[in-house]
Amino acid sequence: MKATALACDALTLSDKLSHLWELVVEHSGDPLIGLKVSTPHRLGWLGVMGHIMLLSPTVQSTIERCHGHTRVGILLPGMHRVVPRQRYDFVWCVLLRTLRCASGRDDAVPVKVEYAFPEPANSAYFENTFGCPVHFNRPHNVMEFSDTDMVAALPHGGMPPPGGPQPILAQLAEAQSPAFTARVQEILAALLPKGPPHRDAVAGLLAMSERTLQRRLAEEGTSFSNVVDDTRRALARQSLETGDLSLKMLSFQLGFSEPSAFYRACKRWFGMTPSDLANHGEKHGMV
């Protein structure tokens, strides 16, 4: 299945999950239901299911280390439906539950939690749930941890036992460095069907500033415009060779304002028109 199709499927699934949460809140009459159905204690059966949900394509996450803290940002994207705050409540509880299970400490708490939502009337319940200050009306949805506390909470002081697996923070730090450009490409693949992607929007989804986004890409030898171009080219080649979409539909799926812009891009990328490339794929048995 093409990356564009996968992105659309993930957004459709996200809308369905948001609708489900709306129904749960409506029928329970409890706006705090997202915090209550998965309180952040040790990982149980619901936590396992939540952990699977947390790693699903409906959740976009970032990890950034800054001044001795680890900031975990999440974004729950939607296609047509606004994501309710209760979905974020639930995901934060699942994340904290997972970290407590991994560290073996039920008293592990974040340094702070930030919500990109208005402050509710019952905001004190959030601080009681997470055990830390909770701020609303912030630019991004972020849970911040102290590196010192997290490493100390892990078995072996954060060091891997002989022949054992790496500690969680080490895995996260190692996993994020070479794959940042790929992470940006994943986000772009989801955004392109909605129109030309903007740098500030992508930076927001990554819970970082535009300057940080540009710096991280520069460290990997590229730029935002180059990543957008590379992502479009890869998706275009894949889609044209499989021939699942009309050229007009594909041009809009790739975020072009009109088919003629897609035509010019194909000439620049491949030295041939979209139709020629599609015919080339059929001729060589690529479909």
Side-chain angles (χ1 to χ4, degrees):
M1 187 180 293
K2 303 182 299 298
T4 50
L6 287 172
C8 290
D9 288 346
L11 291 174
T12 300
L13 174 59
S14 183
D15 277 359
K16 292 180 179 179
L17 288 173
S18 290
H19 187 211
L20 176 61
W21 274 106
E22 291 172 358
L23 294 174
V24 169
V25 174
E26 178 183 351
H27 286 282
S28 68
D30 187 355
L32 298 174
I33 190 69
L35 298 173
K36 295 177 179 178
V37 297
S38 181
T39 53
H41 299 297
R42 288 287 190 93
L43 198 64
W45 180 85
L46 179 60
V48 172
M49 298 304 296
H51 186 70
I52 295 172
M53 182 279 304
L54 183 65
L55 299 178
S56 77
T58 65
V59 179
Q60 297 175 358
S61 60
T62 62
I63 300 171
E64 191 171 20
R65 302 183 71 179
C66 180
H67 305 300
H69 286 182
T70 296
R71 289 174 59 85
V72 180
I74 60 170
L75 177 79
L76 306 175
M79 182 176 292
H80 303 297
R81 190 177 291 274
V82 175
V83 177
R85 193 208 65 234
Q86 288 77 15
R87 278 188 67 190
Y88 283 91
D89 295 344
F90 179 74
V91 172
W92 282 141
C93 285
V94 170
L95 173 62
L96 187 52
R97 174 184 288 212
T98 303
L99 291 174
R100 286 177 175 177
C101 179
S103 66
R105 286 184 49 182
D106 289 335
D107 60 348
V109 297
V111 173
K112 63 180 177 180
V113 178
E114 298 177 358
Y115 277 89
F117 287 88
E119 183 172 356
N122 40 23
S123 57
Y125 192 91
F126 290 78
E127 296 193 353
N128 291 334
T129 299
F130 296 120
C132 68
V134 179
H135 307 286
F136 296 87
N137 295 302
R138 295 303 173 93
H140 310 293
N141 297 289
V142 175
M143 183 173 280
E144 188 170 312
F145 298 91
S146 166
D147 285 354
T148 302
D149 290 345
M150 289 302 297
V151 171
L154 293 172
H156 306 280
M159 298 299 292
Q166 291 180 296
I168 291 176
L169 288 181
Q171 293 180 44
L172 296 178
E174 179 179 332
Q176 67 172 324
S177 54
F180 184 72
T181 298
R183 184 75 186 99
V184 173
Q185 288 178 316
E186 291 176 4
I187 293 176
L188 289 172
L191 292 179
L192 283 170
K194 298 183 178 182
H198 298 286
R199 188 171 54 200
D200 59 343
V202 174
L205 295 178
L206 289 166
M208 61 179 59
S209 66
E210 290 186 58
R211 174 178 291 185
T212 301
L213 171 63
Q214 294 181 81
R215 175 178 58 79
R216 294 284 298 275
L217 290 174
E219 289 172 354
E220 296 189 4
T222 187
S223 66
F224 182 76
S225 59
N226 286 341
V227 177
V228 172
D229 199 57
D230 291 344
T231 304
R232 279 174 162 164
R233 182 175 65 247
L235 294 174
R237 179 183 290 278
Q238 185 178 23
S239 297
L240 288 170
E241 290 177 348
T242 56
D244 290 341
L245 295 174
S246 69
L247 297 183
K248 182 177 181 179
M249 178 62 70
L250 178 56
S251 69
F252 292 126
Q253 285 289 313
L254 295 177
F256 289 100
S257 57
E258 54 186 19
S260 60
F262 176 45
Y263 177 94
R264 292 191 296 271
C266 280
K267 290 285 288 183
R268 174 168 55 85
W269 292 330
F270 312 118
M272 61 180 73
T273 67
S275 298
D276 290 340
L277 186 64
N279 293 334
H280 179 78
E282 292 179 0
K283 182 178 179 180
H284 290 81
M286 297 179 183
V287 178

